[in-house]
Amino acid sequence: MSGRGRGAVLPDQGWVPRQRLTVTAEVCTVLFIEESGSLSKVFDFTTIPVGVELQRWLAAAFARATGPRSGVKRMATANSYFRWARRFASVLAAAQPVPLRPQEITGAHMAAYRLTLTPAGFRDGMIKMRKLVRGDGVVPQEAQRALCAGRLAPRQLPPMPAYTESERQQILTAARGEVRRARDRILAAREVLECFRRGELEEGSARWEVGEALDALDRTGNVPRMPCGQVPPRVLRAGGMRGLLPMLCLNRYEAAAFAVLLVDLTGENFGTLAEWPALHFRPDGGQGEAKVALVEGCKPRRGPSREHMVTAIEDLPAGLAALVEGEIEEERRLFRSPLRLYQLLLDLTALARKHGGLSGAFCYVSGTGGEGIWRSNMTSGHVGEWAVRRGFPRAPKGVMQAEAAAAARERGRPSVNVLRLRQTALERRRRPVAHAASTLRDYYLRRSPQVLEDSRRVVRQALDAEVAKARKAMEIPVFPRHLTDRAVHEPDAVAAEMGVDTATLPHILAGEQDTVLAACVDHHQGPLSPPGQACDLSFLYCLRCPNARALPHHLPAQLAAHDHLTALRTDLDVHEWQARYAETAARLTDLLNHYSAPERDAARHRIGQVERARVAALIAGELDLR
């Protein structure tokens, strides 16, 4: 026996309880109804091959996981929960001994359930089962801990390439053309209707017959009919139901074109946008030209406490309106203003709401007569049908992958996919729309190949800039031979370029202020010594000192030091060499790179025993103060 779920439909609110739980001595079923009320299904847990108590427990867990306070809003998600519940029940049925009550479920049963999951379905199967068991006071804690132990690997997001600007403009141009043609057709039909009502049309003429049929259609939602119910010949000459219905209302393809434009302009989810109501609120009280309209939307994935939200649909900023004058600017504002486009949509779909008893913004006419010709169930499939009719290739099922996007580009026109439309809008805006900033960053932008490439480029540029700064900071000034030769005739200018006074310049050029690897401007102004006191740092520190100056006659000693450190690298432990000599070797390499290969070869021939001995003593620490 089965019973009906309890609960009443609230009058005049369009609300339907989304699930019922019916438990009797013999039957355990759950009635799930989508929040929209369009789909419903009875999930019968008596078909699961376990005992009655386990059936009841699974039904109760399913009802709790998919109930009104959960985030489950769609039939596909409810089916997924039921499928994983059956999988777990099959594991229990195969156990030895078979548990008869939920209190008998153990950690071994949970481990056996884990083993039945494939790598592709492991994450979803574990998440669904954890939600079924979470908050359950019947299953032993030991079994719950075994199920919830360990963290699940993060979800691997498939790439979602945004449309290029060229592809985007192809789609938007086609959508704008669709909207323009629909607007002009309906406005022309309304003009004929107004002329008929004012008596300006000649009775019996073709325009009069069209006006008469449109008048009846506008007032009653149907064309004039004979007493037997058939359409009279004059109405057939005017186009019949098939020709007259679209004259005063949008069809589903034109409504889809509006949706494409609004997704691009607002960045909203297509599913959320398609459910927008016609009823909205204007903060200005309806006085003057509308600047913003507040529309109540619903985004179930935000959770039961945050799914209902208010979306501000704004007009185009006044500054942009001054770019062009006249009628062209009006068209520009229409197709770049979410509010104006929304208002036009409401205007062109008013007839469907009037006679169909509908409340949504995306209403359209479908069929040629009878019941159900006025509809508002806008889906992404309508967008796909519109795109194919306008010459775009059919999009593959599922998420548009990078390979499919590249193949579509090769065909000259992109496939139209509402997910990619929103992805493109979010990438252009770079600010969250009906989600958190972390969601924009970690979900939408992270799965975009272009954003990842841009991010890598920005990071690379920043790192290169820091490396360049570090290299500049680690270098000591190197002065070529032609500069030292000029010192004989232009001592003041050369001294200024070297950053020393004129009196010190001859001593530096003569080598009187040389350390081992460079010349020192003033050893009484050391970077780490008190002013006036002689510097007591190792001569190796000269390679990073602001007082150091490198001249051509220092090159042999620098080459000898670099060769000595390179030889030490093969003899010392790698970590010890890195800690003691890696920075010095890098600074010497930078110094040597200031000279050409012939200059380095010539200097290498000038290395004598004195230079080698002095460099060896320096690196061994024999020249340091003790």
Side-chain angles (χ1 to χ4, degrees):
M1 72 186 271
S2 73
R4 294 185 178 179
R6 293 175 296 175
V9 178
L10 300 181
D12 300 328
Q13 294 188 23
W15 179 84
V16 179
R18 289 206 343 276
Q19 62 86 15
R20 308 281 197 277
L21 172 63
T22 304
V23 182
T24 67
E26 300 176 358
V27 179
C28 184
T29 61
V30 176
L31 171 62
F32 181 85
I33 306 175
E34 278 197 351
E35 190 167 56
S36 62
S38 58
L39 293 176
S40 64
K41 182 177 180 179
V42 174
F43 292 92
D44 188 358
F45 285 82
T46 60
T47 61
I48 295 180
V50 290
V52 174
E53 291 193 34
L54 285 175
Q55 292 175 357
R56 293 176 182 172
W57 170 71
L58 287 172
F62 177 85
R64 184 175 58 252
T66 62
R69 299 300 299 170
S70 72
V72 180
K73 308 291 184 177
R74 301 289 184 262
M75 186 62 68
T77 310
N79 286 328
S80 177
Y81 275 97
F82 185 72
R83 183 174 65 255
W84 291 115
R86 289 184 64 91
R87 170 75 68 87
F88 182 67
S90 65
V91 172
L92 298 180
Q96 292 296 332
V98 178
L100 301 178
R101 301 179 303 153
Q103 291 85 349
E104 299 176 6
I105 297 176
T106 64
H109 296 134
M110 298 300 182
Y113 170 75
R114 283 174 175 263
L115 294 176
T116 64
L117 303 178
T118 62
F122 183 85
R123 178 182 173 83
D124 186 56
M126 290 299 296
I127 290 177
K128 294 295 192 298
M129 198 61 211
R130 287 179 179 182
K131 288 184 178 180
L132 288 172
V133 175
R134 185 180 295 128
D136 186 88
V138 181
V139 177
Q141 290 294 323
E142 178 263 338
Q144 294 190 32
R145 285 194 296 269
L147 178 65
C148 299
R151 299 184 61 182
L152 299 177
R155 180 174 55 176
Q156 297 297 322
L157 298 176
M160 176 64 71
Y163 289 111
T164 64
E165 185 59 23
S166 174
E167 293 171 336
R168 173 175 170 265
Q169 290 302 331
Q170 287 186 61
I171 297 172
L172 297 185
T173 299
R176 290 168 188 153
E178 193 82 44
V179 170
R180 285 192 184 98
R181 288 188 294 271
R183 177 196 60 186
D184 296 343
R185 181 190 71 242
I186 294 176
L187 292 181
R190 289 178 179 175
E191 183 178 355
V192 172
L193 176 59
E194 291 300 321
C195 291
F196 171 80
R197 289 176 174 173
R198 291 195 299 265
E200 298 176 358
L201 302 179
E202 181 182 355
E203 186 172 355
S205 65
R207 283 173 58 84
W208 182 89
E209 291 179 348
V210 172
E212 180 196 28
L214 292 178
D215 178 64
L217 184 60
D218 182 64
R219 289 184 293 101
T220 66
N222 207 334
V223 297
R225 293 182 180 272
M226 295 185 291
C228 63
Q230 292 184 348
V231 178
R234 67 179 185 279
V235 176
L236 293 176
R237 288 194 299 269
M241 287 291 288
R242 185 181 296 275
L244 291 170
L245 281 172
M247 293 182 69
L248 292 178
C249 188
L250 300 178
N251 59 41
R252 64 178 182 271
Y253 304 118
E254 294 161 346
F258 270 97
V260 167
L261 293 175
L262 286 172
V263 168
D264 177 77
L265 290 174
T266 64
E268 291 282 354
N269 278 100
F270 173 83
T272 301
L273 183 143
E275 298 294 329
W276 274 357
L279 183 64
H280 58 276
F281 173 75
R282 285 179 54 180
D284 58 3
Q287 303 297 320
E289 185 180 5
K291 298 298 182 182
V292 64
L294 304 181
V295 177
E296 183 178 2
C298 181
K299 190 175 181 180
R301 70 179 63 182
R302 288 162 58 98
S305 61
R306 300 177 60 245
E307 61 181 321
H308 294 284
M309 59 185 183
V310 176
T311 302
I313 307 177
E314 300 176 329
D315 191 13
L316 193 69
L320 188 58
L323 294 177
V324 185
E325 297 180 357
E327 185 178 356
I328 297 179
E329 174 58 18
E330 288 301 315
E331 289 288 297
R332 180 182 181 88
R333 293 191 69 185
L334 170 63
F335 292 110
R336 289 162 180 80
S337 168
L339 179 58
R340 289 172 179 261
L341 203 60
Y342 174 72
Q343 291 175 325
L344 178 62
L345 173 66
L346 298 185
D347 181 38
L348 302 184
T349 57
L351 187 69
R353 281 188 297 276
K354 175 182 177 181
H355 297 296
L358 306 173
S359 60
F362 287 89
C363 299
Y364 58 92
V365 61
S366 178
T368 59
E371 298 181 358
I373 61 173
W374 315 105
R375 300 184 182 179
S376 62
N377 56 332
M378 176 60 56
T379 67
S380 58
H382 294 148
V383 175
E385 293 175 9
W386 165 79
V388 172
R389 287 171 60 92
R390 292 303 166 208
F392 293 94
R394 188 176 298 276
K397 294 183 179 180
V399 178
M400 173 66 79
Q401 303 294 329
E403 296 79 6
R409 275 197 296 271
E410 292 177 0
R411 293 192 294 268
R413 305 194 80 182
S415 300
V416 181
N417 182 289
V418 294
L419 298 178
R420 288 186 68 196
L421 284 171
R422 185 170 195 248
Q423 179 76 23
T424 305
L426 292 177
E427 287 188 26
R428 293 177 65 246
R429 288 167 168 259
R430 297 296 174 95
R431 65 173 184 267
V433 177
H435 52 246
S438 59
T439 303
L440 174 68
R441 179 187 66 244
D442 299 335
Y443 182 79
Y444 290 101
L445 298 184
R446 192 180 71 177
R447 66 180 181 174
S448 168
Q450 185 60 45
V451 171
L452 292 178
E453 181 62 29
D454 292 344
S455 301
R456 294 189 186 100
R457 187 181 303 109
V458 170
V459 172
R460 182 184 181 89
Q461 291 174 353
L463 293 178
D464 288 345
E466 293 301 317
V467 170
K469 288 167 56 179
R471 288 186 179 277
K472 185 176 182 180
M474 71 185 294
E475 293 179 349
I476 62 175
V478 179
F479 298 97
R481 185 171 300 279
H482 67 80
L483 182 69
T484 60
D485 295 340
R486 286 173 47 209
V488 178
H489 307 288
E490 304 175 11
D492 294 338
V494 172
E497 290 186 38
M498 293 184 64
V500 300
D501 55 53
T502 307
T504 306
L505 178 63
H507 300 286
I508 293 179
L509 297 179
E512 298 174 1
Q513 296 188 202
D514 282 357
T515 60
V516 179
L517 302 175
C520 182
V521 173
D522 187 356
H523 68 283
H524 289 99
Q525 298 294 329
L528 301 180
S529 302
Q533 185 174 336
C535 178
D536 58 357
L537 297 175
S538 169
F539 289 139
L540 289 177
Y541 193 87
C542 293
L543 296 176
R544 72 189 76 172
C545 179
N547 290 330
R549 301 291 186 272
L551 300 173
H553 68 268
H554 297 134
L555 183 56
Q558 293 167 357
L559 283 168
H562 187 270
D563 293 344
H564 194 98
L565 293 179
T566 303
L568 281 177
R569 188 168 190 171
T570 61
D571 299 334
L572 296 180
D573 177 74
V574 60
H575 300 292
E576 181 181 358
W577 189 91
Q578 288 284 346
R580 296 177 61 180
Y581 302 121
E583 183 179 352
T584 301
R587 293 178 183 275
L588 283 170
T589 301
D590 284 338
L591 280 176
L592 299 180
N593 287 336
H594 284 82
Y595 299 93
S596 65
E599 289 175 330
R600 292 195 297 268
D601 293 338
R604 192 177 297 278
H605 290 297
R606 298 199 305 271
I607 300 175
Q609 293 297 327
V610 176
E611 284 81 4
R612 294 186 187 279
R614 188 179 300 169
V615 166
L618 169 65
I619 295 176
E622 297 174 3
L623 302 182
D624 297 346
L625 292 177
R626 305 210 178 251

